[in-house]
Amino acid sequence: MLEAEDQDELTDINLKEAPGNHNSKNISVYSGLILVAVLGFLSYILYLQVQLSVLLAPLAFDYKEYTKFGVISDLHLDLKQTSTTCQWWDRKNYTHYESAYGTTGCDTRYNFAAVTVDSFSELLKDIGSVDLIFNLGDLVNHYTTNFVKNGELISNATELFQSKLPVPIYSTIGNNDLPEDYLQPINSSQFYESFWMKISPLLNATAESLEKHKAAETFSSGGYYTIEHSARLQIVSINSVSFSVRSNVEISSGLQQLEWLSQVLSDAKIHKRVVVIIGHVCPSLSLFQISRHKPNRTMLWKEEFTHEYNKIVSQYTDVIKFSLFFPSA
């Protein structure tokens, strides 16, 4: 599929080589552009179908029971974006292009987020609703370093989800959700408590189910929690930003979270529940590093955490159904 600048180049050739309306080269260029546009559109439709087959996938526990789920990740809501300015613009990888719904290379304008969630909601009516949704974090735009502003952005995003998506939404924390990218704030308990107040209503959970696994308590202390979606399915949301090579979290604190994870998995096994683990920073190489051919690629997690996590999950392969992370954080 041709990029926009390649299409502009073809148009320039057309103008130079076609002084009249009956020039055969002129016709062939336009035919080529039309063919490319049609093939591009078909490729895009195929891409959407592939994405939806993954994002709206059935989760099978046994041959009788299925749970259908959706995935939302990296909304990066920018409330102050205008047609000429935005908080963050990736100039290296995008040509500046403006539209009613935002600017390429910028984070997500609110009206675009609202239309997208509306479309997702309508799509669910057509194909049948999902049972739950996973939000993999980064609700906030890049380079927001203000505690209050972060809270405002998170509130706007969660209120948008709650108004349009009437199913439980299980969230995890992303690096951009923190007041300083990847860095745990000095007043971390205050931040996590505030974050929990905004995402916990999306769980559609009873006070009893939240209390059972001390969800509010563990999230307030370190940004992680677990909750039972049903008698058979348990969701575990880890704060994988704490494990990042860019995090300032102490090794002992990160290992404490992994010890908690091990206990949660052990309890799930005893009670014959299956587990889905969600997080933001993936315990792997960054797809950004791979796709942009960056040298000296490194793992996204610190070695101590990667080793311990792999050791734990390898012991519970019969319990963990799968894990979901954003692959490029």
Side-chain angles (χ1 to χ4, degrees):
M1 190 165 65
L2 291 177
E3 299 291 339
E5 48 191 54
D6 296 327
Q7 293 178 359
D8 291 342
E9 197 173 317
L10 281 178
T11 306
D12 290 342
I13 294 171
N14 169 38
L15 291 173
K16 291 173 185 175
E17 296 185 354
N21 292 331
H22 305 289
N23 192 304
S24 61
K25 291 182 180 178
N26 181 30
I27 295 171
S28 66
V29 168
Y30 276 115
S31 300
L33 287 173
I34 291 169
L35 178 61
V36 166
V38 170
L39 290 176
F41 177 73
L42 292 175
S43 299
Y44 184 64
I45 292 299
L46 178 61
Y47 168 78
L48 287 179
Q49 289 174 340
V50 170
Q51 291 300 301
L52 289 175
S53 69
V54 174
L55 298 185
L56 303 177
L59 167 61
F61 306 133
D62 53 46
Y63 71 96
K64 291 181 180 177
E65 185 177 352
Y66 288 86
T67 295
K68 195 161 52 174
F69 66 92
V71 179
I72 298 170
S73 189
D74 290 65
L75 182 65
H76 288 299
L77 190 62
D78 182 358
L79 295 178
K80 293 190 175 180
Q81 187 182 149
T82 68
S83 60
T84 56
T85 62
C86 62
Q87 291 288 105
W88 178 74
W89 178 22
D90 187 352
R91 292 173 175 80
K92 275 187 179 179
N93 299 292
Y94 297 94
T95 302
H96 191 77
Y97 174 78
E98 296 170 10
S99 77
Y101 292 107
T103 304
T104 51
C106 291
D107 285 322
T108 309
R109 193 181 291 181
Y110 184 84
N111 64 336
F112 183 49
V115 167
T116 302
V117 173
D118 276 341
S119 298
F120 187 58
S121 179
E122 289 300 314
L123 176 65
L124 296 183
K125 293 177 185 177
D126 293 336
I127 66 174
S129 183
V130 296
D131 300 292
L132 61 131
I133 293 172
F134 297 115
N135 162 40
L136 301 184
D138 272 5
L139 297 173
V140 176
N141 61 256
H142 294 82
Y143 307 129
T144 297
T145 57
N146 183 283
F147 185 97
V148 175
K149 187 177 177 186
N150 269 53
E152 180 188 357
L153 289 163
I154 293 164
S155 292
N156 275 269
T158 54
E159 286 166 11
L160 178 61
F161 294 161
Q162 195 169 22
S163 67
K164 300 292 182 180
L165 304 171
V167 296
I169 301 176
Y170 299 97
S171 299
T172 192
I173 197 161
N175 54 288
N176 290 116
D177 294 322
L178 297 170
E180 290 189 61
D181 196 14
Y182 285 98
L183 301 181
Q184 181 148 274
I186 296 172
N187 53 346
S188 58
S189 293
Q190 181 186 349
F191 171 76
Y192 288 136
E193 285 172 13
S194 174
F195 196 97
W196 178 253
M197 292 295 290
K198 295 173 177 63
I199 64 168
S200 57
L202 300 177
L203 300 172
N204 290 353
T206 64
E208 182 183 1
S209 62
L210 291 172
E211 180 60 28
K212 183 176 180 180
H213 296 286
K214 307 292 183 186
E217 185 178 316
T218 58
F219 197 90
S220 296
S221 66
Y224 51 90
Y225 67 96
T226 185
I227 189 170
E228 293 168 33
H229 173 75
S230 66
R232 291 289 316 280
L233 174 60
Q234 185 168 344
I235 311 301
V236 178
S237 173
I238 63 173
N239 181 358
S240 59
V241 180
S242 295
F243 304 143
S244 169
V245 292
R246 298 169 64 180
S247 173
N248 61 345
V249 170
E250 296 288 338
I251 297 295
S252 58
S253 178
L255 292 176
Q256 184 179 349
Q257 181 185 169
L258 290 173
E259 183 181 345
W260 167 85
L261 173 63
S262 181
Q263 292 171 351
V264 167
L265 294 173
S266 175
D267 180 70
K269 183 169 185 173
I270 292 169
H271 291 91
K272 295 181 170 51
R273 292 189 291 267
V274 295
V275 167
V276 173
I277 298 174
I278 61 172
H280 185 72
V281 181
C282 190
S284 68
L285 289 170
S286 166
L287 287 186
F288 282 155
Q289 292 179 342
I290 295 170
S291 64
R292 296 176 184 177
H293 307 289
K294 290 189 175 182
N296 305 319
R297 297 169 191 164
T298 57
M299 295 292 287
L300 293 173
W301 285 17
K302 291 174 182 174
E303 186 177 349
E304 297 90 338
F305 300 141
T306 305
H307 173 76
E308 188 64 21
Y309 178 79
N310 288 336
K311 186 174 78 172
I312 291 169
V313 297
S314 66
Q315 295 171 357
Y316 294 99
T317 54
D318 56 334
V319 175
I320 302 168
K321 206 66 180 173
F322 56 82
S323 302
L324 283 172
F325 297 87
F326 181 70
S328 301

